Amino acid sequence: MAGAGATANKGRIKKYKPNVLSIVGKTRCVLQWIGSALNAPEFAEPITVPKPIFRMTVEFSIRESMVVVNVQNLCPQVLILRWIYLYYGRRLRVSLFDGVVRMVPGYEFTMEKEIHEKEDRSYEVVLLCDVLGTNFRLRETVLINLLSPRKPRGLPINLTKLPVFEVPEYVKEVYLNGFLVNQHYSRNASLWLERFVKYREEKLDQSNYVDYLRMLNQIDEFDSQLQMERYTIENANLEETLPNEYLLSIDQFKVPPVLLDVGCHVQVFSDLSKSTITRGKIIDRSSCLIIQTEIPLRKLHSVRIVFPLNRTQFKMEYMALNHVCRLDLNSVLFPGPDTTAASAKTTKKVFKEELITQFEWFQECIATNQQQKQAIENIINRTAYPAPYILFGPPGTGKTCTIVEAVLQIWKLRKKSRILVTATSNFACNELTRRLLKYVPSTDIFRYFSLTTERDIHGMDLKVMEVSNMHYGKYETPSAQDFTQTRILVCTVMISARLLQLHVDRSMYDYIFIDECGSCKELSALVPIGCVGTDTGSGTLHASVVLAGDPKQLGPVTRMPYLRNTPHDVSLLERLMNLTIYQKDLNNNEYNPNRVTKLLDNYRSHGALFQFSNEQFYDGELRAKGDPAIINWAVNWHRLPNRAFPMIFHSVIGYMQKDALTLSYWNVQEANKVYEYVQLLLKEQINGRILQQEDIGIVTPYSSQVEFITNGLSMLGLDNIAVGSAEQYQGREKAVIIISTVRSNRTTVGFLADARRLNVALTRAQALTIIVGNPANLMKDRTWYKFLKLIRANKAIAGKIFNCNEPISEQTDEVEPSNGWNFA
């Protein structure tokens, strides 16, 4: 098993990925004063110890029971290495090294020692060394968590390359002319534009489905390519910080590199002929970019740096479209009353399965929820087939719990069936896997990770990794047996396309679940539908499709304004729910349970916290069913303006500032108020309850405010409070949520005008919500105006009192610059 260290460098934390078998947390590097009390640091002559001090990496091999420690002195001072210990259990330790090694600048020390694993499978490697000529001692700690790797099932499959799918020149021609008619177009360009205009008038339908979605994707891809080309630097100067790592200052860009993020590809050309190229990637992005290259750069000045577009997601979506056009999926993508009229007979004829009506529930909470039981029974019995079954899950209603139970019941009762479980994010996939592992043997579930997720390995659940293709602590191409010998496959929507590249039998899976379906564009949801679960012989969909999500929460992110209000900006879930067969019956105002189930019982929050969302988005149907011990503990807190209403709107008249790098905004005054509330919550008990950092979540719409608040909390020693945007918090919950709206000294609310963003933010808390914002600015939006009226009616205002009689102005469109793309 390999460990991985981390070294501080100019205020950043660098994580090194594991090599063989261990998952290692952040390295903790501490500079200690070891002089006498009379020579305390404040009286001593100050010294400067440049960072990084040194780099320590740890590798551990289970097969040889051998630990290897490598230490490099990367500072100008001479270091005296004294001890290296291996701690296990609470206070037990093994001495790996006990001696004296004089490490001049650049010196590298490596040692190995045979050890025996302990049952707790958690270790700390602690290194101590002195700074020569001073009274300072350096202590660096690496935390190692050992995996329990499963036995390899077989040899890795050969992963074939994705087809190229280049954007045609005639599409680029039309794009560069603003999609306007031009007599100088080539014939192909004129015909393409003619079709495109026709499709926009017709809207998305069965006749133009594949061609129209492909056109929209080509426009998106070419626009993204042009955006990345703007970041090319012709005469860049780099500064080497570590071997194969180079610092690139932001002031060298002609335009702010708002789309560049960790993981983006980099190409460095060291001569004008472009013949010498070195490839790399961005490994850190803060006030500067840190680039890691495959091989050392020989030239650091006057080099050409290009940031090519990662086309992986686009290629996978084109591939899905190619397969969809060969299949008869009209009954799946455009189901009508005639499609599902004989659904029961069709299902029995196709699958030859008996109806299942008796269940023993794995999760006890399911037994008391009528909507969840109904959804699970209908999913298993395929009552909507061949149309997708829709699980409409408003916030906190147990959507994930329902999906997990449905998968478990299929696994138990349909013993020959295989299940593909997908979601748009790795976070959701890991959560689904973690819950399934409570009931399913580890040998019957496979979590398929993409190569890019290696960089996030430190935050992953070890149990999830042990049933994945990273069970040795690094990415491995799966074997055929990983799919054939397990019945449940969990992966992201995009990575499911890899099954075609791996030549996995496309008719292997009988059920396809797509969680978070409302947050991805329709074309992305087509990837598992078009690439998996199909009968290539008959050209039909073999698997039953279950779409889970909430169309009232945040949808797909569309960066290009031209593509908004097109099918590229709408999820498959949202489009289907607008079809007649998925809408409520006008006679009884209820959904047809054979096709869609809307979950109604909210188990997450106090009723007051989701009251506004319930009335505005969910027809007032949601019911508070949470455990009183979880949702009621903040009621009667003496800090509440209304002790019966566990919500505070704190009026702050702040000032927005724009970040030159990201073009995003931050608000210092609001951040300071957030710090005050955080320290208040952690300092005093709330009705006898002591809060931990992990109980508090902070939601703010702008990435710069996320970074600003995160850094401020870190300076206060509060590193375990999760700060994120509404997009990052969708699907998550905390006992207390603090919202910083940021908007101030503006005539509009920008992209806060998206009511779904407010819906997400207001439905994350279990017991207490605190909103910090400028009411005069927020009231310029109609939805925020209604919310603030509710706040005022409930007397939940802190800070400056305001009246809700401000005029409502029209909104201007704004999109928060989003960093990079997620191709996992």
Side-chain angles (χ1 to χ4, degrees), residues 152-166:
R153 295 189 178 104
L155 297 175
I157 308 176
N158 182 35
L159 185 69
T160 58
K161 289 186 177 181
L162 285 165
V164 178
F165 296 117
E166 292 285 1

Side-chain angles (χ1 to χ4, degrees), residues 159 255 317 439:
L159 185 69
V255 296
E317 290 167 342
Y439 308 98

Side-chain angles (χ1 to χ4, degrees), residues 790-810:
L790 174 69
I791 289 290
R792 183 169 172 79
N794 285 278
K795 300 179 180 179
I797 302 171
K800 184 179 179 180
I801 303 299
F802 56 88
N803 296 316
C804 290
N805 54 5
E806 298 288 335
I808 301 172
S809 65
E810 295 297 322

Side-chain angles (χ1 to χ4, degrees), residues 302-316:
S302 298
V303 296
R304 185 170 188 262
I305 299 182
V306 176
F307 300 91
L309 175 67
N310 187 340
R311 301 186 61 239
T312 305
Q313 178 171 340
F314 293 108
K315 289 181 179 181
M316 290 175 169

